Amino acid sequence: INSNSLGSAGFWLLGPGATLGSSYGPTNTRLRCHLGLQTPPECELVVGGEPQCWSEGHCLLVDDSFLHTVSHKGPQEAGPRVILSVDLWHPNVAAAERQALDFMFSPEP
C-alpha cells in the first residue's frame, strides 16, 4: 500500500529489554509482512493472544488490527531484533474499496 497514509514500509529495530505495549493497528484493510533480518530467540510477537515467531530470511504476515504486543527479553549481547515491514492490502478488500480508501486517505501534498 503506497498510495495512501494507511500503508508504510520500513526497517524496525527493537533493542534488548524493550517492550511495545498492547495496541491495535488503525485499520483492518491491510496485512503487515515482516521479513526477519535479525531475530534473536528471546523476541516475541503476540497477536490476538497467539504467539508468533519471526525467523531470519522468512516472512510473517500479521493482521495488526488485532490486539498485539512485541517484546525483546534477550540480553544486550543478543543485539536488536531487525525486521523489514511492508504493508499489503488485505485480500478481502475489493478493488473499488481500495480506490475509495486511496481517495479518503491520500497523503497530504
Side-chain angles (χ1 to χ4, degrees):
I1 304 174
N2 63 358
S3 53
N4 67 57
S5 60
L6 298 175
S8 68
F11 294 96
W12 293 356
L13 283 69
L14 186 68
T19 298
L20 302 178
S22 298
S23 65
Y24 295 93
T27 180
N28 65 354
T29 62
R30 70 178 185 202
L31 295 176
R32 293 208 135 155
C33 179
H34 290 180
L35 172 62
L37 300 175
Q38 183 173 321
T39 58
E42 301 87 356
C43 296
E44 183 175 59
L45 168 66
V46 178
V47 180
E50 297 290 325
Q52 307 295 317
C53 295
W54 290 287
S55 179
E56 291 179 13
H58 294 91
C59 289
L60 174 66
L61 284 178
V62 176
D63 184 342
D64 77 339
S65 69
F66 290 93
L67 184 66
H68 59 282
T69 59
V70 180
S71 63
H72 183 342
K73 298 177 182 172
Q76 289 296 321
E77 305 80 52
R81 183 235 43 200
V82 182
I83 61 169
L84 171 62
S85 178
V86 178
D87 291 338
L88 309 170
W89 284 111
H90 193 289
N92 292 340
V93 177
E97 294 170 314
R98 292 177 188 184
Q99 288 178 333
L101 289 164
D102 284 345
F103 176 76
M104 292 186 308
F105 295 101
S106 64
E108 296 294 321

